[in-house]
Amino acid sequence: MKRIFTISALLIATTIFLAACSKRGYDYGYDEDYWLRQERGVVVYSDSYCPFYVVETYNGYTIIRSSSGFTPLEGSVMYGDFSRRGYRDFYNRYDRVVMRGEVTDYWLTYGEAQYLIDNLCYY
């Protein structure tokens, strides 16, 4: 009886320990599963000489100013909160990098986005 109790206690402790260990989705220092649950957008305009780029989302076009000096390539799929103004992080799935930027305008039509980006990137 004493042996059965000891063995069952060890099995329960092992089960609890193994259940507490879980594989996390971290890769390169970020959790990709978290980012893939965010709003999705595709970069439709990017210029290496202009810190602003345009992302097409489900709700319209968003203009973002890059804080790091790095602008993503056109066609890059990005995830983040594109529907509020302010500084925030975005996940560029094409390059597998989290980048910081400032949303300046959002929910724009194609014409509005084109007009704003022409004025913002004019030298």
Side-chain angles (χ1 to χ4, degrees):
M1 182 73 169
K2 189 175 183 182
R3 220 182 260 168
I4 292 174
F5 178 74
T6 306
I7 291 173
S8 63
L10 285 172
L11 286 174
I12 291 172
T14 305
T15 305
I16 291 172
F17 175 74
L18 292 177
C21 298
S22 65
K23 183 178 182 222
R24 306 259 329 189
Y26 287 101
D27 187 26
Y28 303 110
Y30 58 85
D31 186 3
E32 189 171 53
D33 293 334
Y34 166 77
W35 288 107
L36 295 180
R37 289 189 299 266
Q38 302 294 318
E39 190 176 0
R40 181 183 186 271
V42 178
V43 178
V44 293
Y45 174 80
S46 176
D47 185 5
S48 59
Y49 297 107
C50 180
F52 294 91
Y53 56 96
V54 181
V55 178
E56 182 181 11
T57 66
Y58 178 77
N59 297 316
Y61 294 88
T62 301
I63 296 180
I64 301 173
R65 184 174 63 91
S66 176
S67 297
S68 61
F70 170 74
T71 56
L73 298 173
E74 291 181 9
S76 296
V77 177
M78 297 185 65
Y79 293 88
D81 186 4
F82 300 107
S83 298
R84 285 187 306 149
R85 290 180 191 230
Y87 286 95
R88 59 187 44 86
D89 292 330
F90 301 100
Y91 174 58
N92 183 343
R93 192 164 191 205
Y94 179 77
D95 293 326
R96 292 185 177 250
V97 35
V98 175
M99 46 193 304
R100 189 131 178 98
E102 177 189 11
V103 174
T104 58
D105 287 295
Y106 58 95
W107 293 358
L108 301 171
T109 65
Y110 178 78
E112 292 170 335
Q114 188 174 24
Y115 176 78
L116 285 173
I117 205 70
D118 284 344
N119 289 323
L120 290 170
C121 293
Y122 178 73
Y123 292 96

